[in-house]
Amino acid sequence: MSLRVSGNNYSNYESMYQMMRTLQASRTAAASRLNQGQAVAPINRVPRVKSGSTQYADTLKFVQNYGKGMADVKLSAFRLQAGNSSGVFSGLDIQSSDTSVASVDKTFRPRKGTEIDLEVKSLAQAQQNQSQALGASEKAADDSAMDFEVTSARGRSVRVNVSDMGVDGAKKTNEQMMQEAADQINGSRTGVRASVAKEDGKVSLVLSSEKTGESNSFTVQGRMGAAEGAQNVAAEGQNARYTVTQNGNTVSRSSESNKISLDYGRVEATLTGTGSAKVQSGVDSDQVVSAVKELVSSYNEATDFLKSNSSRGQGTKDQYDSFSRDIANERTLKAVGLSYDKSGKLQVDEKALKKALKDDFEGTKEILGGQFGLADRITQRVDSAMSTSSGKLVDQDISAGMDRNQESTFSSFRYLSNFSGTGPYSLGNYYTVGLLLNTLG
């Protein structure tokens, strides 16, 4: 998380830094004179915190975790605010209205207002041949040896030669013969794949072109034997055929693959079925759902943290009271898939939220990220929490059971009150002071 320093605070930091430098220089000079046997005037020392001061370490850790928790909530809320140019409501995405017809795989530099009507008439498919079905465990019939050739449309071929007799002179089973044929075909580079289909105890040899499209067809010729029928085409290889309407212009297209390109290469899509679909630009609803879940999670964690530490100081208790109040009425929350569970924690109904985004996107966007929306209300609570002085957050820790020396030790938390009026960056200022102290350490 980056740190922002206001002009007034910068002067405070510089003054504090110079003061500590002067104090350090005075001590160094005093030590030098003492070594030379010269008299040295007493110096008011700033109490040092002993490494064994567990109470101080625990309180310090709380303040640090408090700042981190609030920063996490604020960042999560910022992602949902509609005015955020890098938020989830500002990023463009291309989506399909019907993924059973076409799904969008990738988008490159999507343009606002993109709208494409897609009409899919046929899908690209591969050629397929299938032999007769024979009993898998039955012995091969006489004269069932295979000797045929598979040739692709591109001229590549493979010769398949399978005997019906094993090396021991025993008859092979039909399944053994067809598996041998499939292995020989798959060991070639013809662009044709073979498999043995088995159903109800029967097997058949299935041949398919590796790629879809009319130009990836193949032929089978020769003595088929047990694979009789595999020379016949069961399904023709074909191209996908579809029309694209954009900006009032309709164009008919053909593709050997179901992977297509739209909007001059800005969109990569996959045709999944026949019918109509609209491909258009919009906000990615999945990102919105993810951002809402992240905000709810960080807000619940911060509320639990405040509750478990509310006894440390009045400031912490006040912030817990603020965070534990409802951020909106039940009806408003329900409209965007949110609600409170029995323990008082926010919860998200993803299905309901997605439906709200689909049915009334603008209304859902306004409730979540608009002015005075849920993200804005949470941000106001976080700003109030981050502007609370560290001294007030832990005033009970400071005053509980301390002697005078311990009171001096904890006075650093009270000094931080000077920085509490600068808004949501006050706790960040706490770390800057820490850096100054480390510089002189």
Side-chain angles (χ1 to χ4, degrees):
M1 186 177 111
S2 61
L3 182 68
R4 176 172 143 182
V5 180
S6 66
N8 291 336
N9 281 341
Y10 182 83
S11 299
N12 290 339
Y13 299 146
E14 186 175 29
S15 298
M16 181 179 286
Y17 181 72
Q18 293 300 332
M19 178 186 71
M20 290 188 289
R21 287 290 300 269
T22 301
L23 179 61
Q24 185 183 51
S26 299
R27 288 178 175 171
T28 302
S32 177
R33 291 196 298 273
L34 185 62
N35 290 335
Q36 297 174 8
Q38 301 177 20
V40 177
I43 298 176
N44 293 325
R45 295 183 176 273
V46 177
R48 298 182 63 84
V49 180
K50 297 181 180 180
S51 59
S53 180
T54 56
Q55 188 176 3
Y56 178 89
D58 179 64
T59 303
L60 177 61
K61 184 177 180 180
F62 161 73
V63 174
Q64 292 171 331
N65 289 337
Y66 179 95
K68 181 181 181 302
M70 294 303 158
D72 288 343
V73 178
K74 182 159 187 173
L75 183 61
S76 298
F78 187 55
R79 287 189 63 206
L80 278 167
Q81 290 180 326
N84 176 13
S85 60
S86 60
V88 293
F89 285 117
S90 298
L92 281 178
D93 187 41
I94 304 292
Q95 299 175 337
S96 169
S97 64
D98 191 345
T99 56
S100 67
V101 174
S103 61
V104 175
D105 302 325
K106 293 181 181 179
T107 60
F108 305 93
R109 302 181 304 279
R111 299 182 301 174
K112 187 176 182 179
T114 298
E115 188 171 302
I116 303 169
D117 289 314
L118 192 63
E119 180 74 27
V120 182
K121 299 178 179 179
S122 66
L123 294 178
Q125 67 180 28
Q127 177 184 330
Q128 187 176 92
N129 295 14
Q130 187 165 358
S131 74
Q132 63 184 342
L134 300 174
S137 59
E138 294 177 6
K139 299 295 183 182
D142 294 337
D143 299 324
S144 62
M146 307 176 195
D147 186 9
F148 61 87
E149 190 171 49
V150 180
T151 305
S152 70
R154 303 183 187 278
R156 295 179 179 178
S157 63
V158 58
R159 181 80 174 269
V160 179
N161 196 311
V162 179
S163 172
D164 59 352
M165 302 289 289
V167 293
D168 58 356
K171 281 278 189 177
K172 297 176 182 177
T173 64
N174 291 320
E175 185 173 9
Q176 286 176 324
M177 292 189 67
M178 292 188 184
Q179 188 60 58
E180 285 186 34
D183 291 342
Q184 291 182 28
I185 295 170
N186 292 335
S188 67
R189 295 183 178 179
T190 57
V192 178
R193 301 296 297 173
S195 61
V196 178
K198 189 172 183 178
E199 185 176 358
D200 297 330
K202 293 187 175 184
V203 291
S204 59
L205 181 66
V206 180
L207 307 181
S208 303
S209 53
E210 291 183 341
K211 296 181 179 180
T212 57
E214 297 169 359
S215 67
N216 293 304
S217 60
F218 60 90
T219 59
V220 182
Q221 294 179 329
R223 181 183 177 184
M224 303 308 299
E228 181 62 38
Q231 72 275 25
N232 301 322
V233 178
E236 295 279 357
Q238 68 178 28
N239 292 350
R241 288 180 170 78
Y242 58 98
T243 61
V244 175
T245 302
Q246 186 174 9
N247 299 325
N249 298 319
T250 300
V251 180
S252 296
R253 293 179 179 173
S254 174
S255 171
E256 288 192 340
S257 169
N258 289 314
K259 297 282 188 180
I260 63 170
S261 176
L262 299 170
D263 195 25
Y264 308 100
R266 291 185 177 89
V267 179
E268 290 183 1
T270 299
L271 303 180
T272 54
T274 57
S276 302
K278 188 181 292 291
V279 177
Q280 57 189 348
S281 59
V283 172
D284 188 345
S285 59
D286 287 337
Q287 287 192 18
V288 176
V289 172
S290 176
V292 171
K293 289 173 63 178
E294 181 183 317
L295 176 59
V296 166
S297 176
S298 62
Y299 188 85
N300 285 337
E301 288 179 9
T303 305
D304 287 344
F305 178 77
L306 291 170
K307 180 180 181 181
S308 62
N309 289 278
S310 58
S311 62
R312 290 184 180 274
Q314 186 61 44
T316 303
K317 183 181 182 303
D318 290 344
Q319 294 310 317
Y320 169 64
D321 291 341
S322 172
F323 271 62
S324 59
R325 290 196 297 270
D326 293 351
I327 59 173
N329 60 51
E330 182 179 353
R331 182 178 178 182
T332 300
L333 292 175
K334 187 177 180 180
V336 292
L338 296 179
S339 62
Y340 284 97
D341 63 16
K342 293 181 179 179
S343 65
K345 290 186 178 181
L346 277 171
Q347 57 185 359
V348 186
D349 183 338
E350 291 187 43
K351 187 176 180 180
L353 176 54
K354 287 183 178 180
K355 186 177 186 303
L357 288 167
K358 182 179 180 180
D359 295 346
D360 183 11
F361 177 81
E362 290 301 326
T364 304
K365 174 184 175 181
E366 188 65 23
I367 292 174
L368 290 173
Q371 187 177 19
F372 309 118
L374 302 184
D376 190 43
R377 296 179 191 182
I378 289 176
T379 298
Q380 291 177 21
R381 292 186 183 184
V382 173
D383 286 348
S384 174
M386 296 182 80
S387 64
T388 302
S389 70
S390 302
K392 189 174 181 180
L393 291 173
V394 295
D395 55 15
Q396 291 300 313
D397 278 5
I398 295 174
S399 61
M402 293 184 185
D403 58 28
R404 181 171 298 179
N405 183 58
Q406 288 174 318
E407 174 70 18
S408 298
T409 297
F410 276 84
S411 62
S412 58
F413 290 106
R414 288 204 174 102
Y415 295 154
L416 294 175
S417 298
N418 295 330
F419 301 100
S420 65
T422 58
Y425 298 95
S426 300
L427 288 171
N429 296 338
Y430 169 83
Y431 295 107
T432 300
V433 175
L435 291 174
L436 291 172
L437 294 172
N438 291 337
T439 301
L440 296 172

